[in-house]
Amino acid sequence: MTRSRTLKSSHDAGFTLLEALAVLSILAIAAAVLMPRLGASRQGLAVQVAALELVSSLKATRAAAVATSQEHRLVMDAGTRTYFAQGAVAPRPIPRAVAMTFQLRNAADAKGNWAVIRFFPDGTASGGDIVLKSGTVKAGISVDWLTGRSRLIVHR
């Protein structure tokens, strides 16, 4: 019996340079298209996380006012980019990429970079609106003065 050997030709093993360049070109085009979207989604995520944390803090401050039967205040400082509520919420930062503005029902609750939303023992609040923005993504937080409830609306 004789054995025959089959030799593979050298052009059947691996990729050609042209095929490798085609794949790299497709990857480069995909990366160029997706990179701007990743930056925008990162900004959107930063706004959403900051807004959710702030809404949570507003709700915790309202709950503390009702539980202790005492007025509690959530203080926001746009200058230092922080907010806190004495006895309810430890100081928390707002990310650098996120701008914060507020519009309050009572002008006396806003002084310079400071703004205060007051929560009363009966669950009501001084009320107001807070806007967090980064790039094209904006989150609006509304605190209803009658119910003291905080509502979040995210715009893209």
Side-chain angles (χ1 to χ4, degrees), residues 19-152:
E19 291 169 330
L21 288 175
V23 169
L24 288 175
S25 298
I26 291 170
L27 289 174
I29 290 169
V33 169
L34 292 176
M35 288 306 274
R37 290 185 182 181
L38 290 176
S41 67
R42 191 177 313 130
Q43 285 178 343
L45 185 60
V47 169
Q48 287 179 356
V49 168
L52 287 171
E53 287 180 353
L54 183 53
V55 166
S56 175
S57 296
L58 288 162
K59 289 179 179 183
T61 306
R62 179 180 181 268
V66 171
T68 62
S69 296
Q70 293 181 347
E71 178 181 316
H72 276 71
R73 300 168 181 226
L74 185 106
V75 179
M76 298 167 284
D77 183 358
T80 62
R81 311 184 57 72
T82 58
Y83 61 91
F84 65 92
Q86 191 77 28
V89 177
R92 294 191 177 163
I94 298 288
R96 287 189 183 271
V98 178
M100 177 172 60
T101 58
F102 14 81
Q103 182 177 2
L104 305 178
R105 286 190 73 239
N106 187 351
D109 288 335
K111 293 178 184 163
N113 288 333
W114 288 73
V116 175
I117 294 185
R118 295 175 287 130
F119 292 92
F120 305 106
D122 62 357
T124 61
S126 59
D129 297 313
I130 306 160
V131 176
L132 301 177
K133 184 177 179 186
S134 180
T136 60
V137 180
K138 181 168 67 169
I141 301 167
S142 179
V143 180
D144 184 7
W145 67 272
L146 184 58
T147 64
R149 295 209 168 105
S150 304
R151 185 173 52 123
L152 171 64

